[in-house]
Amino acid sequence: MASGLRKLCPSMAVLVLCLTGCSGDTTPMIPPLQAPATSAPVAPTSTTSQAPVTSGTDTTTAQPSPVMSSPKDVTTGLTAPWSVAFVDGVALVSERDSGRILELGADGTAREVGVIGDVRAGGEGGLLGLAVDQQKMLYAYYTTARDNRIVRFDLAGSPGDLALGEKTVIVEGLHKSSTHNGGRIAFGPDGMLYASAGDAGVPQRSQDRQSLAGKILRMTSDGAVPPGNPFEGSLVWSLGHRNVQGMAWTSDGTMFATEFGQNTWDELNIIEPGNNYGWPVVEGIARHADFVDPVQQWTPGEASPSGMAYLDGTLYIANLRGQRLRGVDVSDPSSSRDVFDGTYGRLRDVAVAPDGALWVMTNNTDGRGNPHPGDDRIVAVPRLLNAPDPRNP
C-alpha cells in the first residue's frame, strides 16, 4: 500500500528550478508548433522534467527516454475536449465548451450522443470529467450558471447509436469559478466515485473541512457518503488541494493525484484518507509537520499536469503548459521520463483503451494553445515504460 511505497523513496529530492510566471493552466499563448506527422516514427525528447537533484546523501537521476515507434491518430477534429471514458469498448468524449458528449466509431468518426443543456462554459469551466460505472451508467462533472455538479445518465441504445437517457443529479452546489473548478471523476478499485473539486479561486476553502472546495471527494454512485470516509457525514476524502486534475490507482490500490500549483510547484501526490496536502499554506515539498509532501514536483512551465492513467507499473501524466507526456515508475515515484515534448502541444488527458493501448488527448483549441491541422485529436501512443509493477509481479 501507500506506506510501503513511500519506503522505496525515503527522501524526496527538491528541485532547484524556479519559476516566476503564471500558475497551473493559466498560461500565455504558446509559440506555433509544426504539425506532427503521424505516418512516420516520432522521436521522443531525450531530456526529462528534472535534472539530477540531491537531498541529503541521496541522489535521484531522471532516466533517459527510450526509443519509441510511431503514434497514430485515433480521432481528429475535436473542439476543446476534456475527458474520455469507455463503455462496452466504445469511447465517449466530453467537449468542455460545447457541452457535447461524443461517441467514437472504430474508424475514428465522432457522433453526438447528446448535449448537456445546462452547461455554462467560461474560463476553465464547462463540461469536464466523464466516468462509467459497472452498470454502464455515465457520470459527468460540469459547470452550470450557479455551481459545479455531478450528474448520472442512463445510456440508451447500443454502440454506434448511443444516446443520453434520464439524468439524475447526485452532487450539486460545488463552488464554481472561471478557474480552479477541478472536474476529474473516476471510479476507484473500491467501487466508489471519486471527484476533484478545485478551490474555485478562494484558497482558504481548501483548509475548511466544512467546504467541499479544494478537496478530493469520495461518494457512492448516488452521491451519498460511503462507509470509510475519514470525516463523519462528509464526502471529503482528502483536503488542502488547489486544483487536482488527474487521479489514478496502481495495481495494489495506491491512489495518486496530479495537482496544479500556483507560481512555484506542480505536484504528484499519494492520496490517503484524511490527509492534508497543505494548500494554501504550503506549495510543493515543504517538510511541514502538519501537511503531506508530494512525491514529485515540477515547475508549472514544465508541467501543469492534467489527466493521468496507470498501466504496467507506470503512471502516465498529460501535461498542458509542459506539452509533454510524463511517465512515472511507481517503484520510484520521485523520478520520471518525458516524451513528445512540444510535439502535440497541450495534453489534457491520458487513458488506457479497452485493447490496452495508451490514448493521449490534446487540448490546443481551448483558447490557450496553438492548434495543429486536425486538432484537437486523440493519439494512440506506445508505452513509455514496459516493466511490470514490482509489487505485483
Side-chain angles (χ1 to χ4, degrees), residues 75-82 95 344-348 361-367 370-379:
T75 190
T76 59
L78 304 174
T79 303
W82 210 92
E95 288 188 333
Y344 292 103
R346 293 160 52 84
L347 305 181
R348 171 62 73 180
M361 174 186 288
T362 71
N363 201 197
N364 296 315
T365 60
D366 69 344
N370 291 282
H372 300 167
D375 273 348
D376 271 311
R377 65 188 70 234
I378 295 175
V379 183

Side-chain angles (χ1 to χ4, degrees), residues 34-43 68-77 340 343-345 347 360 362 364 372-382:
Q34 296 296 317
T38 58
S39 59
V42 177
M68 300 181 70
S69 59
S70 176
K72 297 180 180 179
D73 283 343
V74 173
T75 190
T76 59
F340 308 123
T343 304
Y344 292 103
L347 305 181
V360 177
T362 71
N364 296 315
H372 300 167
D375 273 348
D376 271 311
R377 65 188 70 234
I378 295 175
V379 183
V381 303

